[in-house]
Amino acid sequence: MYFVANWKMYGNLSSLNALDKVIKFSKSKEIRGGRLIYCPPNTLIGSFSKKFKDCQIGIGGQNCHESQEYGAHTGYVNPRMLKNIGAHFVIIGHSENRKKGENDRLINLKIKSAIEAKLKVIFCIGETLSEKRKKKTYLVLSRQIKIGLKNIKNKSNIFIAYEPVWAIGSGLIPKSQDLFRIVEFIKSKFKAKSPKVLYGGSVNPQNIINLREINNINGFLIGGASQNAKKFIDIVKKTYS
Ligand SMILES: O=C(CO)COP(=O)(O)O
């Protein structure tokens, strides 16, 4: 199981201290089969990379530019730059960026570029509340997958993160039965080997007890709760207890 911490626009150098607990946990037996991945803001990727140098914790960026090259793109970093500073993963297509205008075609270019740079991609998809109410969830997910992964032959480095927009930061999670079906549906979109599918949206140490029962999920993408080392560790422990 994968446990991905998406720190969003939080954290500074003093946040590094709290990671000692997580490092210790990652080296203990309690980690079981859990794979931990931290996606801090770009300002902290280098420091996280140093901090994690003797352990198995992965590091990722939260977004990247679609180009492989250096260029006049104020405020952006490309996948090679992320790789160069120590990232192994990158989140692409997060709804917080889709809301700001990233469309499926741009997301497709970003994914291609990240794969070329040999990063693993955590590709986020999910419907909004209004799409859910109009019963368009499956339609939206199909479109996001179809355009987002267009012309990408080798999908072995792609994880899909199903993050219903209405579940992010709201305390709400989908009904177990719905979530199981949606994950099956996502996996069915892939002919050869199906990708790992993560769930994200309000995952916390309480609701993980229900989420862990959904046996086709391969892990979790965790926002708010992941900023607290104890809560993050608790989520992993409770997944296996
Ligand atoms: O957006 C998310 C992770 O990418 C989920 O955030 P929360 O866990 O804070 O709901």
Side-chain angles (χ1 to χ4, degrees):
M1 291 286 267
Y2 290 81
F3 298 86
V4 184
N6 175 10
W7 272 21
K8 309 193 179 185
M9 199 171 74
Y10 289 95
N12 56 31
L13 288 175
S14 55
S15 322
L16 290 163
N17 301 329
L19 298 176
D20 290 330
K21 260 197 212 126
V22 183
I23 292 172
K24 196 168 158 214
F25 173 68
S26 78
K27 292 177 176 170
S28 74
K29 287 205 179 99
E30 287 178 300
I31 183 87
R32 311 268 193 105
R35 301 275 305 274
L36 310 184
I37 299 158
Y38 268 86
C39 300
N42 288 345
T43 48
L44 293 176
I45 291 179
S47 317
F48 271 55
S49 172
K50 276 190 203 132
K51 186 104 188 165
F52 292 156
K53 73 175 181 330
D54 295 325
C55 59
Q56 299 289 320
I57 304 177
I59 301 172
Q62 298 174 9
N63 201 354
C64 63
H65 194 269
E66 63 275 20
S67 172
Q68 283 293 312
E69 309 303 326
Y70 288 136
H73 303 293
T74 305
Y76 289 87
V77 296
N78 71 33
R80 281 194 193 155
M81 293 157 86
L82 288 177
K83 178 101 185 161
N84 179 258
I85 194 131
H88 324 105
F89 292 82
V90 60
I91 296 172
I92 295 179
H94 196 283
S95 62
E96 284 152 14
N97 296 320
R98 290 181 187 264
K99 260 181 227 161
K100 297 199 142 193
E102 284 194 11
N103 60 24
D104 294 312
R105 281 193 45 209
L106 177 62
I107 288 165
N108 174 248
L109 296 177
K110 290 185 178 206
I111 295 176
K112 283 181 183 156
S113 182
I115 288 176
E116 230 176 282
K118 303 216 162 23
L119 288 173
K120 293 193 169 72
V121 172
I122 299 166
F123 170 35
C124 298
I125 58 174
E127 81 286 3
T128 62
L129 184 58
S130 101
E131 289 163 342
K132 177 179 158 65
R133 286 196 175 130
K134 291 182 197 145
K135 304 211 180 317
K136 287 190 170 162
T137 299
Y138 288 88
L139 207 73
V140 169
L141 298 180
S142 296
R143 188 203 72 223
Q144 290 174 336
I145 293 171
K146 189 172 174 206
I147 307 177
L149 299 182
K150 198 171 173 189
N151 295 330
I152 298 176
K153 288 217 172 64
N154 183 355
K155 301 185 182 69
S156 59
N157 280 335
I158 297 175
F159 294 59
I160 309 275
Y162 171 57
E163 295 208 308
V165 182
W166 51 270
I168 296 175
S170 63
L172 303 171
I173 58 169
K175 290 193 191 108
S176 297
Q177 210 182 32
D178 292 347
L179 190 46
F180 179 84
R181 283 202 194 120
I182 289 169
V183 174
E184 279 308 280
F185 174 76
I186 293 169
K187 292 190 172 180
S188 77
K189 290 274 157 197
F190 296 82
K191 284 196 196 80
K193 206 171 156 246
S194 57
K196 302 237 178 320
V197 178
L198 316 180
Y199 167 74
S202 294
V203 177
N204 64 38
Q206 288 77 46
N207 61 28
I208 193 67
I209 307 283
N210 302 320
L211 290 167
R212 71 180 185 193
E213 301 298 330
I214 305 168
N215 59 22
N216 55 359
I217 291 178
N218 304 108
F220 302 97
L221 179 52
I222 306 159
S226 75
Q227 289 156 34
N228 178 305
K230 188 180 172 306
K231 283 189 189 166
F232 189 54
I233 293 170
D234 248 27
I235 289 172
V236 183
K237 279 188 186 165
K238 287 190 179 162
T239 301
Y240 295 108
S241 63

